[in-house]
Amino acid sequence: MDRRDFLKLGGTAVAAGALAGRRAAAAESGQSAAPLAAPPIETVRIGYVGIGGQGSGHVSNLLKIPGCRITAVCDIRPERTTWATAQITAAGHPAPAAYTRGPHDFERLCETEDLDLVYNATPWEWHVPIMLAAMKNGKHAATEVPAAMTIEDCWAIVESAEKHRRHCVLMENCNYDRMEMMVYNMVRQGALGEILHAEGGYLHDLRAIKFADEGEGLWRRAWAAKLNGNLYPTHGLGPVANCLDNNRGDRFEYLVSMSGPSRGLQDWAAAHVPADSPKRRERYVLGDVNLSLIKTARGRTIVVEHCTNLPRPYSRIHMVQGTKGLFQGYPNRVYIEGRGREDQWQDAQAMLAEFEHPLWKEIAAAAKGAGHGGMDFIEDYRLIKCLREGQPTDFNVYDAASISAVVGLSVRSVASKSAAVDFPDFTRGGWKTAPPVPILHM
Ligand SMILES: NC(=O)c1ccc[n+]([C@@H]2O[C@H](COP(=O)([O-])OP(=O)(O)OC[C@H]3O[C@@H](n4cnc5c(N)ncnc54)[C@H](O)[C@@H]3O)[C@@H](O)[C@H]2O)c1
């Protein structure tokens, strides 16, 4: 994708020269990449933008979390702000201000509302414009995944967060899933030895969703006509990157990526979409299976896979391997040398008694019934807690940028015969000294 496409898509009208200049100036000034801790906020006032499938879940979660209020809501569909208003008032809070005057009305929300946080669950093309508007107007920003679809936009959020001293958080719910947290805890305790390799992915048959006349069908399929690479790396990569101390002792250095043929969406359309539908004239460039390999600065390896256009059961792969053993997801199993039978997997459930992450023990009851097995509630809870306590957020803008950068870099690598492409060091050297993500608590 060239710069013109990026401007069309991301809408972040930043001149390339100015961008490079600012980056150099920041590097010279030795701007710190240390985790940002903003002043504590007693009651976090939230503006929620994009209340569709995923946004509705977050709104419901936030209404159950102490110390926050949703005081403004925004969606291009007024029925969604009406729905949110009904939920908010039913929970005993005042009706929020509603912003429904079209796709740029979030700008008015960011400019006029007195808010601490603007949290969005909009289509991918809106994440960066919304976060930049939020931070420019003094609000912390949180976004659904991925944070950004181009390297330029990854830099834009980093620079805005640094300039305005605001949090900019990628809400990667899979970081908080039960097995992912258990594995992180095992890694911290050294149970798998020195971690050398990991694999993660997003393997999810989304064909029916992509062709629906509602929800993600209105925007997600369009990306498959524009980009060929890994369009959704964060669910698989986020949790394993934590086990490899990404941005906290190690960092992604370069990537090579390959996509196979594009068949799934056209086959689905031929079988399910009427012959006279405009959808039948669409052509897709997204390879059904994309594989990327990441090498880290410390020489370790990560495989990231994306597959959303083919019939298959769901998987995020979730594999973390060290000098003493490994965890392998889907199904969840563990092998640790010297434990159990040689050459035989052990069921990971059996490890929970010893390695369950403390946060999961503490919060499981409160998270029960919330989206995606409870992890969505836990990530929302942690975000609000960090803001209220003035703590660094669990994951920061450098994580958002480096994990999301796989989108832009995989597209570049696929387009250039799988050439190696470098990750920018968004932390500007800060990764060498930043401490690991701590063991989190409620
Ligand atoms: N973390 C997860 O497990 C998970 C699951 C699903 C979706 N998501 C992410 O959540 C985001 C939204 O996905 P979804 O499934 O909820 O999609 P959706 O289409 O159901 O919801 C998007 C909402 O945003 C609104 N919207 C669109 N443009 C807008 C704009 N400019 N301003 C305000 N509102 C706007 C739409 O009207 C809709 O209500 C995406 O980034 C997606 O990748 C994450």
Side-chain angles (χ1 to χ4, degrees):
M1 191 168 45
D2 67 19
R3 181 148 193 95
R4 222 169 313 124
D5 289 336
F6 142 65
L7 288 173
K8 243 188 286 162
L9 282 174
T12 53
V14 189
L19 200 76
R22 283 215 312 277
R23 216 169 284 157
E28 266 167 38
S29 72
Q31 201 158 21
S32 163
L36 170 74
I41 304 164
E42 198 179 324
T43 303
V44 181
R45 295 157 306 172
I46 304 166
Y48 209 96
V49 185
I51 306 159
Q54 187 67 358
S56 305
H58 289 303
V59 165
S60 302
N61 292 341
L62 292 165
L63 290 174
K64 296 189 193 101
I65 293 171
C68 68
R69 295 276 176 274
I70 302 173
T71 57
V73 288
C74 173
D75 199 298
I76 52 175
R77 295 182 296 153
E79 65 269 27
R80 297 316 301 154
T81 59
T82 303
W83 175 87
T85 301
Q87 304 299 307
I88 292 164
T89 52
H93 306 307
Y99 289 79
T100 57
R101 293 187 203 155
H104 286 274
D105 213 23
F106 65 84
E107 290 165 2
R108 204 165 55 90
L109 174 147
C110 292
E111 284 160 13
T112 55
E113 291 290 325
D114 222 356
L115 298 168
D116 303 298
L117 170 69
V118 175
Y119 185 167
N120 91 85
T122 56
W124 301 338
E125 52 271 39
W126 292 106
H127 293 177
V128 171
I130 293 168
M131 289 193 289
L132 294 183
M135 291 187 279
K136 188 172 98 183
N137 286 286
K139 282 93 174 157
H140 299 301
T143 186
E144 261 302 339
V145 303
M149 303 299 279
T150 66
I151 300 304
E152 290 84 350
D153 270 359
C154 288
W155 271 118
I157 58 170
V158 166
E159 289 173 348
S160 180
E162 289 177 343
K163 178 174 171 192
H164 300 293
R165 305 292 298 156
R166 288 294 172 274
H167 293 295
C168 178
V169 187
L170 176 71
M171 299 302 290
E172 181 36 78
N173 48 355
C174 301
N175 287 335
Y176 297 88
D177 207 357
R178 191 177 188 185
M179 279 297 148
E180 278 81 348
M181 293 206 92
M182 182 190 86
V183 173
Y184 186 75
N185 196 24
M186 291 177 82
V187 168
R188 283 275 86 84
Q189 293 190 34
L192 302 179
E194 181 193 353
I195 304 303
L196 302 178
H197 176 75
E199 299 180 13
Y202 186 66
L203 319 180
H204 191 183
D205 178 1
L206 296 179
R207 293 171 301 164
I209 287 173
K210 287 190 192 184
F211 277 103
D213 289 319
E214 58 178 13
E216 298 195 356
L218 302 180
W219 55 270
R220 194 165 181 152
R221 192 176 72 260
W223 285 93
K226 279 189 282 221
L227 296 183
N228 184 12
N230 185 335
L231 307 192
Y232 207 62
T234 71
H235 287 337
L237 182 56
V240 303
N242 299 334
C243 293
L244 271 78
D245 293 321
N246 181 41
N247 293 332
R248 298 165 178 82
D250 200 357
R251 76 171 190 92
F252 303 157
E253 193 170 74
Y254 65 89
L255 162 153
V256 295
S257 187
M258 242 181 236
S259 287
S262 175
R263 300 277 187 274
L265 293 182
Q266 16 276 333
D267 287 359
W268 175 271
H272 296 89
V273 177
D276 58 351
S277 164
K279 290 177 189 169
R280 286 290 290 273
R281 292 195 291 279
E282 293 173 1
R283 289 293 166 265
Y284 309 105
V285 297
L286 175 65
D288 293 335
V289 178
N290 172 271
L291 281 165
S292 302
L293 270 166
I294 298 173
K295 186 95 184 212
T296 74
R298 282 172 49 195
R300 305 186 289 173
T301 47
I302 309 174
V303 175
V304 198
E305 185 172 346
H306 180 254
C307 175
T308 57
N309 297 343
L310 296 175
R312 58 153 304 126
Y314 180 93
S315 170
R316 297 199 296 270
I317 305 175
H318 193 204
M319 191 270 234
V320 177
Q321 184 162 28
T323 51
K324 292 186 181 166
L326 74 161
F327 176 95
Q328 169 79 64
Y330 301 88
N332 296 318
R333 56 220 135 119
V334 179
Y335 181 77
I336 299 176
E337 195 171 42
R339 274 186 186 233
R341 305 219 332 250
E342 201 178 331
D343 215 20
Q344 300 272 320
W345 290 108
Q346 284 183 281
D347 185 350
Q349 284 291 331
M351 297 281 159
L352 280 167
E354 191 177 349
F355 291 111
E356 173 99 279
H357 193 290
L359 179 62
W360 254 95
K361 282 190 222 159
E362 293 157 8
I363 209 170
K368 205 166 182 205
H372 296 109
M375 63 186 177
D376 296 10
F377 177 86
I378 302 177
E379 68 167 346
D380 289 336
Y381 176 91
R382 283 290 313 167
L383 174 67
I384 299 303
K385 180 180 163 81
C386 291
L387 294 178
R388 292 188 76 199
E389 293 181 356
Q391 300 287 342
T393 50
D394 300 341
F395 304 101
N396 55 37
V397 72
Y398 307 109
D399 301 309
S402 65
I403 304 284
S404 304
V406 169
V407 179
L409 295 180
S410 63
V411 169
R412 273 188 208 167
S413 180
V414 166
S416 53
K417 220 174 169 184
S418 308
V421 283
D422 286 341
F423 280 84
D425 176 7
F426 295 105
T427 74
R428 303 184 185 93
W431 63 273
K432 292 176 191 159
T433 49
V437 176
I439 293 297
L440 306 169
H441 287 278
M442 196 169 167

